[in-house]
Amino acid sequence: MKRTTIVAEQALLPGVAEPVDSPTLRSWALCELYGHQRIVGHVTVDPVEFPGMIRIDVPDLLKNGEVARKGHTRYIGRNAIYSITPVDEITVRNLLPHVDGLPARQASIGEGW
C-alpha cells in the first residue's frame, strides 16, 4: 500500500491525525522578567539551537548615527518570564535607550530614572 493511501485512510479514522508542524513564534516585543528586568528586541520562541527557551535579539542602540550600545542575543528560560508584550520595531527602538536588560537598581538621591 502506498503512503498516500495510508494517509488518506488515517484521515477517515476518528482520533487519528497527521502531526502538524506549528510555526515558531517570532515578533518584536517587550519582555518582562522576574527580578525586575526588562528587555526589548526580536523574540523567537523555541529557537532551533535551544528548544524550549526564548531567544531575544536586542538591536544596537544608535545615537547620532553611531553605536552607543552594541546589540546582543540573550536566551531565557520560559519560567523566567513574567510577561511578553508584542510591539512593533519602532516601539522597540524607542524603548531601547531606557531598557538594557539589566536588573533594576535603586536610584541615588537626585538621580532620575
Side-chain angles (χ1 to χ4, degrees), residues 27-31 39-43 56-62 69 85-100:
S27 174
W28 291 99
L30 163 65
C31 299
I39 187 169
V40 291
H42 192 262
V43 175
I56 303 172
D57 294 307
V58 179
D60 291 340
L61 171 61
L62 302 175
R69 187 174 67 221
T85 305
V87 295
D88 58 14
E89 182 179 359
I90 294 169
T91 302
V92 166
R93 295 200 182 271
N94 288 336
L95 288 170
L96 204 52
H98 311 287
V99 179
D100 60 8

Side-chain angles (χ1 to χ4, degrees), residues 18-69:
E18 284 281 309
V20 178
D21 292 332
S22 61
T24 300
L25 173 65
R26 295 169 191 231
S27 174
W28 291 99
L30 163 65
C31 299
E32 296 178 88
L33 312 174
Y34 288 105
H36 302 284
Q37 296 181 56
R38 297 187 324 156
I39 187 169
V40 291
H42 192 262
V43 175
T44 304
V45 176
D46 286 329
V48 175
E49 60 273 22
F50 292 109
M53 295 192 79
I54 294 176
R55 174 182 172 152
I56 303 172
D57 294 307
V58 179
D60 291 340
L61 171 61
L62 302 175
K63 286 190 179 178
N64 299 324
E66 294 186 18
V67 176
R69 187 174 67 221

Side-chain angles (χ1 to χ4, degrees), residues 65-93:
E66 294 186 18
V67 176
R69 187 174 67 221
K70 185 145 174 58
H72 62 279
T73 297
R74 186 167 173 191
Y75 293 90
I76 298 170
R78 291 175 182 222
N79 292 337
I81 296 175
Y82 177 74
S83 73
I84 295 178
T85 305
V87 295
D88 58 14
E89 182 179 359
I90 294 169
T91 302
V92 166
R93 295 200 182 271

